Amino acid sequence: MTVPFHVNDPQAIIEADRAHVWHHLIQHKPFETIDPKVIVEGKGINVWDITGKKHLDAVSGGVWTVNVGYGRESIANAVRDQLVKLNYFAGSAGSIPGAQFSEKLTGKMPGLTRVYFANSGSEANEKAFKMVRQIAHKHFGGKKNKILYRDRDYHGTTIACLSAGGQQERNAQYGPFTPAFIPVPHCLEYRAHEHGWGELSSEDFGRRAADAIEEVILREGPDTVGALCLEPVTAGGGVITPPPGYWQRVQEICRKYEVLLHIDEVVCGVGRTGEWFGYQHYGVQPDIVTMAKGVASGYAAISCCVTTEAVFEMFKDDSDPMSYFRDISTFGGCTAGPAAALENFRIIEDEALLANTTAMGDRLLGNLNALMEKHAVIGDVRGKGLFCGAELVTDRDTKEPLAEKLVQSVVGDCMKQGVIIGATNRSVPGRNNTLCFSPALIATADDIDRITDAVDNALGRLNA
Ligand SMILES: Cc1ncc(COP(=O)(O)O)c(C=O)c1O
């Protein structure tokens, strides 16, 4: 295919970028000698960089976001039509797309009824943390204010979100952190040995990893613990699918100790795992769900903190002037987000993208498992829907992680082949060794095979 765009003086853009743009989560020293990457155009599952090179994007915009793929004119048109009608009004008032999208969204989430709009995953999680803290003050004498989070999970970039972050390499050097965020152990079965719980079957490990949460609640005092915040499938911490029985036991524990269950669907939400929401695979009923990335597939900034009516009702005591949720998000009042999200949801429904995600996810997982037969460097393959990971090790018996430099060389090799894949990046020390795959939900069988063929080639060269 020919390059679909023309850029006047691409080198001037690159130099402006090099001189003035501070890119996210990347060391800039190399840009003194090599050009920073500039992405110019996208169509379907592909993007083109400023040199005209085409890439198959196997990570949906780098961070599992562009769920319905690039170049969706119907979303752009919906946003444009809304912007010329009403671009913004503060969220203390409603808007037509806000009301319509809230109805649509909660229709996909039985048991949840209320949508609080914000702009980023971090911000949605901050809203949830504030709700939990305010409920503690208002209904539990200020005591039930501790929030549990899990080792290896990530909930965002703000100081409070990092306080709830189980990835030490994201947190290092940014403390001191917010008090009363308490860690619980991870549930990665492949590294179950790290817990010292002895040899366990999958089911027993699932139960044991959840029981570890109960132990933390008992240690801290159940009357001090307000919420448990978990990713349904841990994303940037290594694509960690939960072991069997884990979620059912987590739900039992939360109910037993009146701990609100806050599920962070920022990555898993909106189809990524083959259900509308990741938690829906596991038969749990959360009290609070946060979401961002795939909500509008990156066509507009939007995040949501969705709650049950019971949570919402706790903020309605009008005899107390301080009882309502005294929070605002200026850009949570932008109408582009819900307008884009409504059209994004229509596309997912009309194009049956959940079914495609399940089918193509099975193919991706199958292909990765086949690569594991061929390449000893793959120690474990995990995934749910179009959200898969392959953990690389130097030795399958010791499970010694492959050096990060070599993991990155696999990513770089795929990039040279025109396929963008991801890898855990500044997550847990010594654990940046999982390749990540999260193509758009429109991926075809050919796309999936191209992705895993590129990985096959790259691993072949790594072993050579
Ligand atoms: C699970 C999870 N929660 C929250 C966030 C934070 O979202 P944002 O970057 O939009 O603030 C991320 C970002 O990667 C995430 O992976």
Side-chain angles (χ1 to χ4, degrees), residues 63-64 119-125 153-158 161 170 231-236 264-268 290 292-293 303:
V63 286
W64 22 55
N119 302 284
S120 67
S122 305
E123 198 190 358
N125 285 329
D153 278 10
Y154 176 76
H155 300 296
T157 187
T158 60
C161 288
R170 293 292 173 105
E231 293 183 64
V233 175
T234 301
D264 176 343
E265 292 272 354
V266 168
V267 172
C268 294
T290 46
K293 297 173 185 277
S303 70

Side-chain angles (χ1 to χ4, degrees), residues 191-375:
R191 297 203 172 270
H193 56 280
E194 291 176 352
H195 299 303
W197 296 331
E199 285 289 308
L200 295 171
S201 67
S202 287
E203 284 73 18
D204 287 345
F205 174 69
R207 200 177 167 80
R208 184 68 192 84
D211 284 348
I213 298 173
E214 184 172 31
E215 287 163 12
V216 173
I217 294 173
L218 290 172
R219 186 194 71 208
E220 296 293 323
D223 59 339
T224 71
V225 178
L228 169 66
C229 176
L230 299 177
E231 293 183 64
V233 175
T234 301
V239 192
I240 302 173
T241 45
Y246 180 78
W247 273 106
Q248 287 77 1
R249 182 78 187 113
V250 165
Q251 177 99 74
E252 280 171 26
I253 293 165
C254 286
R255 293 215 166 118
K256 183 169 171 190
Y257 298 106
E258 277 192 274
V259 168
L260 293 171
L261 180 55
H262 163 191
I263 301 187
D264 176 343
E265 292 272 354
V266 168
V267 172
C268 294
V270 195
R272 171 61 52 205
T273 64
E275 292 283 352
W276 279 102
F277 292 93
Y279 74 84
Q280 293 170 344
H281 291 282
Y282 307 111
V284 282
Q285 184 59 58
D287 302 287
I288 302 174
V289 175
T290 46
M291 64 192 72
K293 297 173 185 277
V295 174
S297 286
Y299 283 83
I302 178 173
S303 70
C304 306
C305 178
V306 185
T307 75
T308 59
E309 200 65 7
V311 166
F312 176 71
E313 283 293 326
M314 285 194 255
F315 293 83
K316 270 175 65 183
D317 170 11
D318 64 359
S319 69
D320 172 3
M322 299 287 275
S323 76
Y324 65 93
F325 193 41
R326 284 166 289 107
D327 181 273
I328 186 162
S329 164
T330 296
F331 291 133
C334 286
T335 55
L342 264 174
E343 180 57 14
N344 187 53
F345 272 51
R346 185 202 62 74
I347 289 169
I348 293 172
E349 284 174 338
D350 289 0
E351 298 183 10
L353 294 185
L354 298 188
N356 189 61
T357 299
T358 303
M360 291 304 114
D362 287 349
R363 188 179 185 99
L364 178 55
L365 203 59
N367 285 5
L368 290 171
N369 274 310
L371 289 186
M372 190 165 157
E373 306 271 301
K374 193 169 163 190
H375 299 282

Side-chain angles (χ1 to χ4, degrees), residues 64 233-241 382-383 387-389 424 434-437:
W64 22 55
V233 175
T234 301
V239 192
I240 302 173
T241 45
R382 324 182 260 270
F387 181 29
C388 292
T424 42
T434 298
L435 301 178
C436 302
F437 309 92

